[in-house]
Amino acid sequence: MPEYTESQCCIDYKFVEAGNFSWDALPHPVSTVTAAPSKGTNRNIKLVNINVVRLRNNSGVALFVNMPHYVVDGYGYAAFVRRWAEVCTWMHGDTYENELPLREFVFDRAVIRDAMPTDMLPLDDACSRMYEKTSTIGHLLAWMSPETRGDVLVAGTKLMPADGHIFHVSRSTINKLRSRVEQSGLARRVSDNDVLAAMISQCVAQGVHAKSRTRRMFSSLVRSLTRPLLERDNFLSLIVVDARPRLDKIMQMAPAQYVGGCITGVPVINSTHTLIAAASSDKQFSSITSSVRSVVDTVSDKYMSGIDNALNRNPACFAHSLALSITTPEKVIITNQSRFGLYECDFGFGAPKWITPMATFLTNFASVLSVGPNHDGYHVYLSVEKYVMDDILSNEFWSTHTSLVY
């Protein structure tokens, strides 16, 4: 069953709006769970966690919606919110003359199994290390119950607390950087996401590289206790990729929508020094951007079949890849949520004024977000350790090409 809670607060909507919808301006707490799948208010992991906070005098509503990856991915999450909004709008109407449109959603992950081609590509070295390498920490995480594993991950986030900020990247900035890459001749086509991934990788790599001596000692200790995913002086950008467009059988299901988990992380590994140099060198920035494009282009249906095969050969594979990403400080996980159309979700009272992730998430995490209808470009949410964020806020390349929202 889902978890649904409601509460009221003494903050008026006008003060939230005057505070530019920043996390400090919102009522506390809005979120009822943390970044890791964990226990909600009733001490159980739920399929959905919803918290409705009514602002003073019904001047507005703050709506928190969480669905763990045990259930759906971002595409499925957005499908749920859009459908909920559609039903609310229909119910809010004066009459029920128009029938509620029917939607067909499919959760059965056998759909993924059947959509995978029998021909598969062998995993490259980076993917092999990510999905086939085992570890003691991975075995331990796999052995735990989901609730206990969630508690452990939440405790881990408290040991290395994240500092979150949202930045705006304008359309003109994206176009300017893309033009530089295309003129270099290193990539025939470059997407917005390629450019943003290169920007994010550059600034986080520089921030991680600037770590204190204590942090360097900790990283060395982690390396000695685990089988490292990276060679020394390398940096991992884990690009989250949706398999749906790459699997013909899923695309042919329309109008039915497969909303179960259908994403995977694709590793892009670069030299840390190359990433840092990209801030002052068009050639190096173009090289980083083209490396992202090159890796993403390799993700075909046969490539996905190889990863799916690795995941199913070892039931604990998910935990091993999770353990490797946790114990790899020199990394950033990049996901793109700008295509989900959440600003189009009208619950019957107009489109949402602001959509934001929770204030603190996992460390070394970045998400590309859509902006409201009166803005261009993208919002980028960065969640990193404070010392990394301090470096990012003073990073000349990042400050030149972005503006701080809050």
Side-chain angles (χ1 to χ4, degrees):
M1 294 293 291
E3 176 182 88
Y4 183 93
T5 58
E6 286 193 24
S7 60
Q8 293 182 328
C9 73
C10 58
I11 300 176
D12 194 282
Y13 171 80
K14 64 183 179 182
F15 294 111
V16 176
E17 185 177 37
N20 293 320
F21 303 99
S22 69
W23 295 308
D24 291 337
L26 295 175
H28 295 284
V30 177
S31 56
T32 54
V33 293
T34 60
S38 56
K39 302 168 185 175
T41 55
N42 67 351
R43 310 304 297 162
N44 290 309
I45 293 179
K46 291 293 188 177
L47 299 181
V48 185
N49 302 91
I50 294 172
N51 186 29
V52 179
V53 181
R54 301 185 183 278
L55 303 182
R56 186 176 182 179
N57 297 326
N58 277 331
S59 55
V61 167
L63 178 64
F64 172 76
V65 183
N66 171 76
M67 299 180 76
H69 274 291
Y70 289 132
V71 186
V72 296
D73 55 19
Y75 180 92
Y77 170 92
F80 168 79
V81 177
R82 287 197 303 268
R83 180 57 172 174
W84 184 15
E86 184 178 40
V87 173
C88 286
T89 299
W90 179 75
M91 294 177 65
H92 186 66
D94 294 332
T95 66
Y96 295 104
E97 293 178 0
N98 298 320
E99 291 189 5
L100 179 67
L102 296 178
R103 310 288 181 197
E104 184 179 354
F105 302 103
V106 179
F107 290 87
D108 187 356
R109 298 199 182 187
V111 169
I112 298 294
R113 180 196 63 207
D114 295 338
M116 291 292 178
T118 53
D119 292 340
M120 64 185 73
L121 292 176
L123 299 185
D124 56 41
D125 183 57
C127 258
S128 178
R129 279 184 279 170
M130 172 66 70
Y131 293 107
E132 295 183 323
K133 180 180 289 186
T134 62
S135 68
T136 302
I137 296 177
H139 283 299
L140 182 62
L141 288 173
W143 173 78
M144 295 176 181
S145 68
E147 288 81 8
T148 302
R149 184 164 54 244
D151 288 343
V152 169
L153 294 175
V154 169
T157 61
K158 292 179 180 179
L159 291 175
M160 300 175 66
D163 186 17
H165 286 290
I166 290 180
F167 303 85
H168 178 246
V169 185
S170 68
R171 167 50 54 193
S172 61
T173 295
I174 296 287
N175 292 342
K176 180 176 66 175
L177 291 174
R178 180 196 286 113
S179 178
R180 292 181 188 176
V181 177
E182 291 175 344
Q183 289 173 9
S184 73
L186 294 176
R188 289 182 296 176
R189 73 178 180 92
V190 177
S191 70
D192 291 355
N193 197 62
D194 300 334
V195 173
L196 291 166
M199 292 175 63
I200 293 166
S201 298
Q202 187 281 324
C203 74
V204 176
Q206 180 167 312
V208 171
H209 184 72
K211 70 184 75 170
S212 65
R213 183 176 178 182
T214 302
R215 289 294 184 184
R216 291 180 188 275
M217 292 174 62
F218 173 75
S219 296
S220 298
L221 177 62
V222 169
R223 246 176 221 285
S224 66
L225 294 176
T226 62
R227 302 176 184 178
L229 174 63
L230 301 173
E231 301 294 335
R232 192 173 296 277
D233 297 324
N234 278 349
F235 186 86
L236 167 69
S237 302
L238 193 65
I239 311 296
V240 177
V241 174
D242 187 355
R244 289 174 183 82
R246 296 164 171 85
L247 298 173
D248 290 340
K249 289 185 179 180
I250 290 184
M251 299 305 292
Q252 293 167 3
M253 288 173 55
Q257 300 179 62
Y258 176 71
V259 293
C262 199
I263 59 171
T264 191
V266 179
V268 180
I269 298 176
N270 286 292
S271 160
T272 301
H273 298 293
T274 300
L275 284 166
I276 293 174
S280 57
S281 166
D282 286 351
K283 181 179 179 181
Q284 295 288 14
F285 182 81
S286 298
S287 175
I288 299 303
T289 308
S290 63
S291 70
V292 174
R293 180 74 264 160
S294 176
V295 171
V296 173
D297 277 344
T298 64
V299 184
S300 62
D301 55 349
K302 294 181 180 180
Y303 183 99
M304 293 300 304
S305 184
I307 293 179
D308 184 67
N309 181 60
L311 288 168
N312 285 293
R313 275 206 316 267
N314 182 356
C317 183
F318 78 96
H320 294 305
S321 57
L322 175 63
L324 281 169
S325 63
I326 290 173
T327 57
T328 302
E330 303 86 0
K331 60 114 180 4
V332 61
I333 301 171
I334 304 173
T335 182
N336 190 320
Q337 301 177 19
S338 66
R339 305 181 183 98
F340 296 155
L342 292 177
Y343 274 102
E344 301 167 8
C345 294
D346 182 353
F347 284 79
F349 300 92
K353 297 296 184 181
W354 191 257
I355 298 174
T356 178
M358 59 181 64
T360 57
F361 203 68
L362 305 173
T363 57
N364 293 28
F365 177 84
S367 184
V368 178
L369 308 170
S370 56
V371 295
N374 297 324
H375 300 82
D376 71 353
Y378 299 91
H379 283 147
V380 174
Y381 169 65
L382 292 181
S383 177
V384 295
E385 286 188 81
K386 189 178 186 307
Y387 78 94
V388 178
M389 184 59 75
D390 289 343
D391 189 85
I392 290 172
L393 292 173
S394 61
N395 183 311
E396 183 178 355
F397 174 83
W398 186 256
S399 300
T400 300
H401 293 95
T402 72
S403 58
L404 177 65
V405 179
Y406 56 75

